[in-house]
Amino acid sequence: AQSVTQLDSQVPVFEEAPVELRCNYSSSVSVYLFWYVQYPNQGLQLLLKYLSGSTLVESINGFEAEFNKSQTSFHLRKPSVHISDTAEYFCAVSEAGGYQKVTFGTGTKLQVIP
Amino acid sequence: GAVVSQHPSWVICKSGTSVKIECRSLDFQATTMFWYRQFPKQSLMLMATSNEGSKATYEQGVEKDKFLINHASLTLSTLTVTSAHPEDSSFYICSARDHGTDTQYFGPGTRLTVL
């Protein structure tokens, strides 16, 4: 079984400042890792994913995350946030291949302050 | 990316009635779909895994007779909340697995309110 820990429930940050949302996972097998974003009263949108290959993955809106197997982490970063980035961010893990049952972290609410 | 739709987006019903929620993969075939529920300010909790043409696999603590799941085609799975009660009020989200990209895509969710 897999588990995900998002240590920060809320992260306030000023507009145009950098941000890092932390995510650590636990698994005894190879995993896929995901970051999803949820805007108020909406479903989840896939932000980026790591399946294999390069450990640094990027999204189209400037976010990036790096898979660190030794530290079992998949932290999400953005060098300069915008007001529109205010949302809840969920880190998730699934067993590589197979049924892909996804386990979610408890979420981190990113609040961008103007 | 791939698109998953849910219908309805929100529903209000009386206690004791049944509600059906549809989940469709619009541009890919999904042999596996998943149903989650999300309580306010909490993460998503997997309820069941739905496999096309076979019975759903329910997570521990989820009543299979209360939450009926049918996955009759490669693009449609339905969740029926039977004899709904106020404590069933929640945000229900489905996802579909795209085998081509080995990724799950999520629907926009259905907000159920039981009065």
Side-chain angles (χ1 to χ4, degrees):
Chain A
Q2 294 81 39
S3 66
V4 179
T5 302
Q6 291 181 250
L7 291 172
D8 305 307
S9 59
Q10 293 189 58
V11 174
V13 61
F14 286 103
E15 193 174 15
E16 298 184 1
V19 70
E20 178 181 82
L21 305 183
R22 296 181 293 170
C23 172
N24 288 88
Y25 70 93
S26 173
S27 177
S28 59
V29 299
S30 296
V31 296
Y32 293 161
L33 293 157
F34 309 87
W35 275 99
Y36 288 89
V37 58
Q38 185 179 36
Y39 298 100
N41 296 311
Q42 294 187 27
L44 272 69
Q45 299 175 32
L46 179 65
L47 190 60
L48 47 75
K49 61 185 179 183
Y50 169 79
L51 302 183
S52 65
S54 173
T55 57
L56 183 65
V57 290
E58 299 177 349
S59 72
I60 58 173
N61 57 353
F63 283 94
E64 65 177 30
E66 186 162 19
F67 170 53
N68 188 320
K69 188 174 181 179
S70 63
Q71 296 184 8
T72 60
S73 67
F74 191 56
H75 303 327
L76 181 69
R77 302 184 183 93
K78 188 170 185 179
S80 176
V81 296
H82 302 287
I83 293 291
S84 59
D85 294 325
T86 295
E88 186 107 28
Y89 292 80
F90 291 95
C91 182
V93 63
S94 75
E95 182 178 329
Y99 259 82
Q100 270 207 323
K101 178 175 152 179
V102 178
T103 301
F104 286 85
T106 50
T108 297
K109 186 172 178 59
L110 174 63
Q111 181 69 46
V112 180
I113 305 165
Chain B
V3 179
V4 175
S5 70
Q6 279 185 243
H7 178 81
S9 56
W10 59 270
V11 57
I12 301 173
C13 69
K14 292 182 179 180
S15 184
T17 61
S18 294
V19 174
K20 180 185 284 188
I21 303 170
E22 294 185 348
C23 176
R24 293 181 186 272
S25 56
L26 298 184
D27 50 3
F28 66 98
Q29 293 184 331
T31 55
T32 306
M33 291 185 173
F34 303 87
W35 287 97
Y36 297 82
R37 65 186 299 182
Q38 184 183 30
F39 290 104
K41 299 182 180 180
Q42 295 187 27
S43 188
L44 280 73
M45 299 300 295
L46 179 65
M47 298 174 66
T49 302
S50 169
N51 299 295
E52 188 265 338
S54 65
K55 292 183 179 180
T57 303
Y58 290 82
E59 295 300 300
Q60 192 172 11
V62 178
E63 299 176 59
K64 63 180 182 180
D65 295 329
K66 181 169 185 62
F67 298 99
L68 301 180
I69 292 172
N70 183 279
H71 192 160
S73 78
L74 290 172
T75 59
L76 173 65
S77 176
T78 61
L79 168 69
T80 301
V81 183
T82 62
S83 186
H85 292 284
E87 58 265 29
D88 298 323
S89 298
S90 188
F91 196 47
Y92 291 87
I93 302 175
C94 76
S95 70
R97 182 185 176 192
D98 182 350
H99 286 258
T101 59
D102 215 7
T103 298
Q104 280 190 40
Y105 294 95
F106 285 78
T110 296
R111 184 160 303 282
L112 169 64
T113 301
V114 185
L115 303 177

